[in-house]
PDB file of all heavy atoms in Angstrom:
ATOM      1  N   LEU T 894     -34.238  -1.752   2.406  1.00 62.00           N
ATOM      2  CA  LEU T 894     -32.922  -2.132   2.890  1.00 62.00           C
ATOM      3  C   LEU T 894     -32.236  -3.077   1.908  1.00 62.00           C
ATOM      4  O   LEU T 894     -31.040  -2.947   1.634  1.00 62.00           O
ATOM      5  CB  LEU T 894     -33.036  -2.769   4.273  1.00 62.00           C
ATOM      6  CG  LEU T 894     -31.724  -3.087   4.973  1.00 62.00           C
ATOM      7  CD1 LEU T 894     -30.874  -1.835   5.125  1.00 62.00           C
ATOM      8  CD2 LEU T 894     -31.993  -3.696   6.338  1.00 62.00           C
ATOM      9  N   ARG T 895     -32.983  -4.029   1.337  1.00 64.00           N
ATOM     10  CA  ARG T 895     -32.410  -4.950   0.344  1.00 64.00           C
ATOM     11  C   ARG T 895     -31.945  -4.198  -0.899  1.00 64.00           C
ATOM     12  O   ARG T 895     -30.883  -4.491  -1.449  1.00 64.00           O
ATOM     13  CB  ARG T 895     -33.444  -6.001  -0.053  1.00 64.00           C
ATOM     14  CG  ARG T 895     -33.604  -7.075   0.941  1.00 64.00           C
ATOM     15  CD  ARG T 895     -34.482  -8.166   0.409  1.00 64.00           C
ATOM     16  NE  ARG T 895     -35.182  -8.763   1.540  1.00 64.00           N
ATOM     17  CZ  ARG T 895     -36.272  -9.451   1.451  1.00 64.00           C
ATOM     18  NH1 ARG T 895     -36.851  -9.636   0.289  1.00 64.00           N
ATOM     19  NH2 ARG T 895     -36.821  -9.971   2.517  1.00 64.00           N
ATOM     20  N   THR T 896     -32.758  -3.268  -1.357  1.00 66.00           N
ATOM     21  CA  THR T 896     -32.401  -2.484  -2.534  1.00 66.00           C
ATOM     22  C   THR T 896     -31.137  -1.679  -2.266  1.00 66.00           C
ATOM     23  O   THR T 896     -30.230  -1.630  -3.103  1.00 66.00           O
ATOM     24  CB  THR T 896     -33.560  -1.534  -2.918  1.00 66.00           C
ATOM     25  OG1 THR T 896     -34.729  -2.302  -3.110  1.00 66.00           O
ATOM     26  CG2 THR T 896     -33.231  -0.752  -4.169  1.00 66.00           C
ATOM     27  N   ARG T 897     -31.091  -1.098  -1.095  1.00 63.00           N
ATOM     28  CA  ARG T 897     -29.928  -0.293  -0.719  1.00 63.00           C
ATOM     29  C   ARG T 897     -28.672  -1.161  -0.656  1.00 63.00           C
ATOM     30  O   ARG T 897     -27.614  -0.777  -1.159  1.00 63.00           O
ATOM     31  CB  ARG T 897     -30.200   0.360   0.622  1.00 63.00           C
ATOM     32  CG  ARG T 897     -29.223   1.409   0.980  1.00 63.00           C
ATOM     33  CD  ARG T 897     -29.679   2.095   2.236  1.00 63.00           C
ATOM     34  NE  ARG T 897     -28.867   3.241   2.498  1.00 63.00           N
ATOM     35  CZ  ARG T 897     -28.981   4.003   3.536  1.00 63.00           C
ATOM     36  NH1 ARG T 897     -29.925   3.737   4.421  1.00 63.00           N
ATOM     37  NH2 ARG T 897     -28.209   5.022   3.729  1.00 63.00           N
ATOM     38  N   ARG T 898     -28.763  -2.336  -0.066  1.00 67.00           N
ATOM     39  CA  ARG T 898     -27.622  -3.252   0.005  1.00 67.00           C
ATOM     40  C   ARG T 898     -27.191  -3.709  -1.384  1.00 67.00           C
ATOM     41  O   ARG T 898     -26.016  -3.850  -1.665  1.00 67.00           O
ATOM     42  CB  ARG T 898     -27.961  -4.462   0.877  1.00 67.00           C
ATOM     43  CG  ARG T 898     -27.879  -4.178   2.335  1.00 67.00           C
ATOM     44  CD  ARG T 898     -28.014  -5.442   3.125  1.00 67.00           C
ATOM     45  NE  ARG T 898     -27.912  -5.155   4.552  1.00 67.00           N
ATOM     46  CZ  ARG T 898     -28.089  -6.038   5.484  1.00 67.00           C
ATOM     47  NH1 ARG T 898     -28.405  -7.281   5.162  1.00 67.00           N
ATOM     48  NH2 ARG T 898     -27.965  -5.707   6.746  1.00 67.00           N
ATOM     49  N   SER T 899     -28.145  -3.947  -2.252  1.00 63.00           N
ATOM     50  CA  SER T 899     -27.827  -4.373  -3.621  1.00 63.00           C
ATOM     51  C   SER T 899     -27.061  -3.289  -4.360  1.00 63.00           C
ATOM     52  O   SER T 899     -26.092  -3.562  -5.081  1.00 63.00           O
ATOM     53  CB  SER T 899     -29.102  -4.709  -4.389  1.00 63.00           C
ATOM     54  OG  SER T 899     -29.750  -5.798  -3.807  1.00 63.00           O
ATOM     55  N   ILE T 900     -27.489  -2.051  -4.199  1.00 65.00           N
ATOM     56  CA  ILE T 900     -26.810  -0.930  -4.872  1.00 65.00           C
ATOM     57  C   ILE T 900     -25.391  -0.766  -4.332  1.00 65.00           C
ATOM     58  O   ILE T 900     -24.439  -0.625  -5.096  1.00 65.00           O
ATOM     59  CB  ILE T 900     -27.633   0.375  -4.703  1.00 65.00           C
ATOM     60  CG1 ILE T 900     -28.930   0.269  -5.498  1.00 65.00           C
ATOM     61  CG2 ILE T 900     -26.829   1.588  -5.145  1.00 65.00           C
ATOM     62  CD1 ILE T 900     -29.904   1.404  -5.255  1.00 65.00           C
ATOM     63  N   VAL T 901     -25.258  -0.812  -3.004  1.00 57.00           N
ATOM     64  CA  VAL T 901     -23.927  -0.689  -2.394  1.00 57.00           C
ATOM     65  C   VAL T 901     -23.036  -1.839  -2.843  1.00 57.00           C
ATOM     66  O   VAL T 901     -21.870  -1.645  -3.192  1.00 57.00           O
ATOM     67  CB  VAL T 901     -24.037  -0.620  -0.854  1.00 57.00           C
ATOM     68  CG1 VAL T 901     -22.670  -0.749  -0.206  1.00 57.00           C
ATOM     69  CG2 VAL T 901     -24.710   0.670  -0.421  1.00 57.00           C
ATOM     70  N   SER T 902     -23.573  -3.053  -2.881  1.00 60.00           N
ATOM     71  CA  SER T 902     -22.798  -4.212  -3.334  1.00 60.00           C
ATOM     72  C   SER T 902     -22.367  -4.059  -4.787  1.00 60.00           C
ATOM     73  O   SER T 902     -21.235  -4.398  -5.155  1.00 60.00           O
ATOM     74  CB  SER T 902     -23.609  -5.496  -3.174  1.00 60.00           C
ATOM     75  OG  SER T 902     -23.879  -5.737  -1.822  1.00 60.00           O
ATOM     76  N   ALA T 903     -23.241  -3.545  -5.621  1.00 57.00           N
ATOM     77  CA  ALA T 903     -22.905  -3.337  -7.028  1.00 57.00           C
ATOM     78  C   ALA T 903     -21.794  -2.306  -7.178  1.00 57.00           C
ATOM     79  O   ALA T 903     -20.865  -2.476  -7.974  1.00 57.00           O
ATOM     80  CB  ALA T 903     -24.150  -2.905  -7.802  1.00 57.00           C
ATOM     81  N   ILE T 904     -21.865  -1.234  -6.403  1.00 64.00           N
ATOM     82  CA  ILE T 904     -20.830  -0.199  -6.469  1.00 64.00           C
ATOM     83  C   ILE T 904     -19.490  -0.753  -6.000  1.00 64.00           C
ATOM     84  O   ILE T 904     -18.458  -0.563  -6.653  1.00 64.00           O
ATOM     85  CB  ILE T 904     -21.250   1.040  -5.641  1.00 64.00           C
ATOM     86  CG1 ILE T 904     -22.426   1.738  -6.317  1.00 64.00           C
ATOM     87  CG2 ILE T 904     -20.085   2.002  -5.469  1.00 64.00           C
ATOM     88  CD1 ILE T 904     -23.052   2.846  -5.500  1.00 64.00           C
ATOM     89  N   VAL T 905     -19.494  -1.455  -4.869  1.00 54.00           N
ATOM     90  CA  VAL T 905     -18.257  -2.045  -4.353  1.00 54.00           C
ATOM     91  C   VAL T 905     -17.696  -3.053  -5.355  1.00 54.00           C
ATOM     92  O   VAL T 905     -16.495  -3.091  -5.621  1.00 54.00           O
ATOM     93  CB  VAL T 905     -18.500  -2.699  -2.972  1.00 54.00           C
ATOM     94  CG1 VAL T 905     -17.311  -3.545  -2.540  1.00 54.00           C
ATOM     95  CG2 VAL T 905     -18.805  -1.639  -1.930  1.00 54.00           C
TER      96      VAL T 905
END
Side-chain angles (χ1 to χ4, degrees):
L894 186 58
R895 282 188 211 159
T896 304
R897 192 173 189 183
R898 281 189 179 175
S899 296
I900 291 172
V901 170
S902 296
I904 291 172
V905 169

